[in-house]
mmCIF file of all heavy atoms in Angstrom:
data_model
loop_
_atom_site.group_PDB
_atom_site.id
_atom_site.type_symbol
_atom_site.label_atom_id
_atom_site.label_comp_id
_atom_site.label_asym_id
_atom_site.label_seq_id
_atom_site.Cartn_x
_atom_site.Cartn_y
_atom_site.Cartn_z
ATOM 1 N N GLY A 204 43.257 -15.595 1.697
ATOM 2 C CA GLY A 204 44.555 -16.120 1.290
ATOM 3 C C GLY A 204 45.715 -15.629 2.132
ATOM 4 O O GLY A 204 46.875 -15.810 1.774
ATOM 5 N N VAL A 205 45.406 -14.994 3.258
ATOM 6 C CA VAL A 205 46.457 -14.333 4.024
ATOM 7 C C VAL A 205 47.386 -15.338 4.687
ATOM 8 O O VAL A 205 46.937 -16.327 5.250
ATOM 9 C CB VAL A 205 45.817 -13.420 5.082
ATOM 10 C CG1 VAL A 205 46.839 -13.009 6.118
ATOM 11 C CG2 VAL A 205 45.219 -12.206 4.426
ATOM 12 N N THR A 206 48.705 -15.088 4.605
ATOM 13 C CA THR A 206 49.664 -15.915 5.326
ATOM 14 C C THR A 206 50.408 -15.052 6.333
ATOM 15 O O THR A 206 50.399 -13.824 6.231
ATOM 16 C CB THR A 206 50.705 -16.518 4.371
ATOM 17 O OG1 THR A 206 51.420 -15.440 3.763
ATOM 18 C CG2 THR A 206 50.049 -17.368 3.298
ATOM 19 N N MET A 207 51.059 -15.707 7.292
ATOM 20 C CA MET A 207 51.814 -14.983 8.311
ATOM 21 C C MET A 207 52.875 -14.094 7.673
ATOM 22 O O MET A 207 53.109 -12.976 8.122
ATOM 23 C CB MET A 207 52.465 -16.012 9.230
ATOM 24 C CG MET A 207 52.457 -15.639 10.681
ATOM 25 S SD MET A 207 50.864 -15.058 11.255
ATOM 26 C CE MET A 207 51.168 -15.008 12.987
ATOM 27 N N ASP A 208 53.493 -14.589 6.592
ATOM 28 C CA ASP A 208 54.553 -13.832 5.928
ATOM 29 C C ASP A 208 54.060 -12.507 5.376
ATOM 30 O O ASP A 208 54.726 -11.483 5.470
ATOM 31 C CB ASP A 208 55.143 -14.667 4.784
ATOM 32 C CG ASP A 208 56.404 -15.384 5.236
ATOM 33 O OD1 ASP A 208 56.793 -15.152 6.404
ATOM 34 O OD2 ASP A 208 56.965 -16.150 4.442
ATOM 35 N N SER A 209 52.849 -12.558 4.761
ATOM 36 C CA SER A 209 52.365 -11.333 4.123
ATOM 37 C C SER A 209 51.918 -10.318 5.172
ATOM 38 O O SER A 209 51.831 -9.123 4.894
ATOM 39 C CB SER A 209 51.225 -11.657 3.154
ATOM 40 O OG SER A 209 50.141 -12.227 3.838
ATOM 41 N N VAL A 210 51.607 -10.780 6.384
ATOM 42 C CA VAL A 210 51.127 -9.859 7.411
ATOM 43 C C VAL A 210 52.283 -9.241 8.202
ATOM 44 O O VAL A 210 52.166 -8.145 8.713
ATOM 45 C CB VAL A 210 50.157 -10.593 8.374
ATOM 46 C CG1 VAL A 210 49.695 -9.667 9.475
ATOM 47 C CG2 VAL A 210 48.963 -11.110 7.604
ATOM 48 N N LYS A 211 53.410 -9.953 8.250
ATOM 49 C CA LYS A 211 54.482 -9.559 9.176
ATOM 50 C C LYS A 211 54.932 -8.110 9.014
ATOM 51 O O LYS A 211 54.764 -7.288 9.907
ATOM 52 C CB LYS A 211 55.675 -10.504 8.988
ATOM 53 C CG LYS A 211 56.148 -11.094 10.317
ATOM 54 C CD LYS A 211 57.391 -11.916 10.121
ATOM 55 C CE LYS A 211 57.084 -13.380 9.890
ATOM 56 N NZ LYS A 211 58.219 -14.123 9.342
ATOM 57 N N LEU A 212 55.470 -7.789 7.823
ATOM 58 C CA LEU A 212 56.010 -6.452 7.597
ATOM 59 C C LEU A 212 54.916 -5.399 7.707
ATOM 60 O O LEU A 212 55.073 -4.369 8.368
ATOM 61 C CB LEU A 212 56.672 -6.390 6.212
ATOM 62 C CG LEU A 212 57.186 -5.018 5.773
ATOM 63 C CD1 LEU A 212 58.204 -4.490 6.764
ATOM 64 C CD2 LEU A 212 57.794 -5.097 4.388
ATOM 65 N N ALA A 213 53.762 -5.719 7.067
ATOM 66 C CA ALA A 213 52.662 -4.758 7.095
ATOM 67 C C ALA A 213 52.192 -4.522 8.525
ATOM 68 O O ALA A 213 51.872 -3.391 8.907
ATOM 69 C CB ALA A 213 51.512 -5.266 6.229
ATOM 70 N N GLY A 214 52.169 -5.596 9.325
ATOM 71 C CA GLY A 214 51.721 -5.463 10.710
ATOM 72 C C GLY A 214 52.598 -4.519 11.511
ATOM 73 O O GLY A 214 52.114 -3.675 12.270
ATOM 74 N N VAL A 215 53.919 -4.637 11.301
ATOM 75 C CA VAL A 215 54.840 -3.735 12.000
ATOM 76 C C VAL A 215 54.569 -2.289 11.595
ATOM 77 O O VAL A 215 54.504 -1.388 12.438
ATOM 78 C CB VAL A 215 56.303 -4.130 11.692
ATOM 79 C CG1 VAL A 215 57.265 -3.084 12.239
ATOM 80 C CG2 VAL A 215 56.611 -5.499 12.287
ATOM 81 N N CYS A 216 54.375 -2.080 10.276
ATOM 82 C CA CYS A 216 54.093 -0.726 9.784
ATOM 83 C C CYS A 216 52.807 -0.190 10.413
ATOM 84 O O CYS A 216 52.717 0.982 10.790
ATOM 85 C CB CYS A 216 53.935 -0.710 8.266
ATOM 86 S SG CYS A 216 55.438 -1.106 7.392
ATOM 87 N N ILE A 217 51.792 -1.057 10.526
ATOM 88 C CA ILE A 217 50.507 -0.617 11.064
ATOM 89 C C ILE A 217 50.649 -0.232 12.537
ATOM 90 O O ILE A 217 50.184 0.832 12.960
ATOM 91 C CB ILE A 217 49.448 -1.723 10.882
ATOM 92 C CG1 ILE A 217 49.031 -1.794 9.412
ATOM 93 C CG2 ILE A 217 48.237 -1.474 11.771
ATOM 94 C CD1 ILE A 217 48.140 -2.961 9.077
ATOM 95 N N LEU A 218 51.334 -1.087 13.312
ATOM 96 C CA LEU A 218 51.499 -0.772 14.730
ATOM 97 C C LEU A 218 52.275 0.536 14.889
ATOM 98 O O LEU A 218 51.959 1.373 15.738
ATOM 99 C CB LEU A 218 52.202 -1.921 15.456
ATOM 100 C CG LEU A 218 51.352 -3.201 15.523
ATOM 101 C CD1 LEU A 218 52.121 -4.317 16.201
ATOM 102 C CD2 LEU A 218 50.031 -2.949 16.244
ATOM 103 N N LEU A 219 53.282 0.725 14.013
ATOM 104 C CA LEU A 219 54.051 1.961 14.044
ATOM 105 C C LEU A 219 53.146 3.165 13.745
ATOM 106 O O LEU A 219 53.174 4.183 14.446
ATOM 107 C CB LEU A 219 55.179 1.881 13.009
ATOM 108 C CG LEU A 219 56.153 3.041 13.001
ATOM 109 C CD1 LEU A 219 57.081 2.931 14.195
ATOM 110 C CD2 LEU A 219 56.949 3.062 11.704
ATOM 111 N N GLY A 220 52.326 3.025 12.689
ATOM 112 C CA GLY A 220 51.436 4.119 12.294
ATOM 113 C C GLY A 220 50.448 4.468 13.393
ATOM 114 O O GLY A 220 50.230 5.648 13.697
ATOM 115 N N ILE A 221 49.857 3.446 14.021
ATOM 116 C CA ILE A 221 48.896 3.707 15.093
ATOM 117 C C ILE A 221 49.597 4.397 16.264
ATOM 118 O O ILE A 221 49.076 5.346 16.848
ATOM 119 C CB ILE A 221 48.209 2.394 15.543
ATOM 120 C CG1 ILE A 221 47.311 1.870 14.419
ATOM 121 C CG2 ILE A 221 47.373 2.620 16.801
ATOM 122 C CD1 ILE A 221 46.629 0.548 14.739
ATOM 123 N N ALA A 222 50.827 3.931 16.563
ATOM 124 C CA ALA A 222 51.573 4.541 17.670
ATOM 125 C C ALA A 222 51.822 6.021 17.392
ATOM 126 O O ALA A 222 51.619 6.876 18.266
ATOM 127 C CB ALA A 222 52.889 3.801 17.889
ATOM 128 N N VAL A 223 52.234 6.339 16.166
ATOM 129 C CA VAL A 223 52.487 7.745 15.817
ATOM 130 C C VAL A 223 51.220 8.565 16.008
ATOM 131 O O VAL A 223 51.229 9.656 16.589
ATOM 132 C CB VAL A 223 53.000 7.860 14.364
ATOM 133 C CG1 VAL A 223 52.984 9.302 13.895
ATOM 134 C CG2 VAL A 223 54.406 7.292 14.260
ATOM 135 N N CYS A 224 50.090 8.029 15.530
ATOM 136 C CA CYS A 224 48.829 8.769 15.630
ATOM 137 C C CYS A 224 48.417 8.976 17.084
ATOM 138 O O CYS A 224 47.887 10.026 17.445
ATOM 139 C CB CYS A 224 47.715 8.052 14.878
ATOM 140 S SG CYS A 224 47.989 8.058 13.113
ATOM 141 N N ILE A 225 48.651 7.972 17.940
ATOM 142 C CA ILE A 225 48.282 8.124 19.349
ATOM 143 C C ILE A 225 49.180 9.158 20.023
ATOM 144 O O ILE A 225 48.715 10.029 20.752
ATOM 145 C CB ILE A 225 48.343 6.766 20.076
ATOM 146 C CG1 ILE A 225 47.177 5.889 19.602
ATOM 147 C CG2 ILE A 225 48.275 6.942 21.589
ATOM 148 C CD1 ILE A 225 47.158 4.494 20.185
ATOM 149 N N VAL A 226 50.487 9.080 19.717
ATOM 150 C CA VAL A 226 51.414 10.040 20.326
ATOM 151 C C VAL A 226 51.059 11.469 19.916
ATOM 152 O O VAL A 226 51.138 12.399 20.716
ATOM 153 C CB VAL A 226 52.874 9.708 19.924
ATOM 154 C CG1 VAL A 226 53.805 10.844 20.300
ATOM 155 C CG2 VAL A 226 53.319 8.420 20.598
ATOM 156 N N LEU A 227 50.620 11.646 18.673
ATOM 157 C CA LEU A 227 50.331 12.993 18.174
ATOM 158 C C LEU A 227 48.850 13.363 18.286
ATOM 159 O O LEU A 227 48.403 14.348 17.695
ATOM 160 C CB LEU A 227 50.778 13.121 16.713
ATOM 161 C CG LEU A 227 52.285 13.021 16.485
ATOM 162 C CD1 LEU A 227 52.598 13.146 15.001
ATOM 163 C CD2 LEU A 227 53.028 14.087 17.263
#
Side-chain angles (χ1 to χ4, degrees):
Chain A
V205 165
T206 62
M207 219 47 170
D208 263 357
S209 61
V210 178
K211 231 185 267 164
L212 175 58
V215 172
C216 294
I217 286 172
L218 293 178
L219 185 75
I221 292 178
V223 168
C224 292
I225 289 177
V226 168
L227 294 179

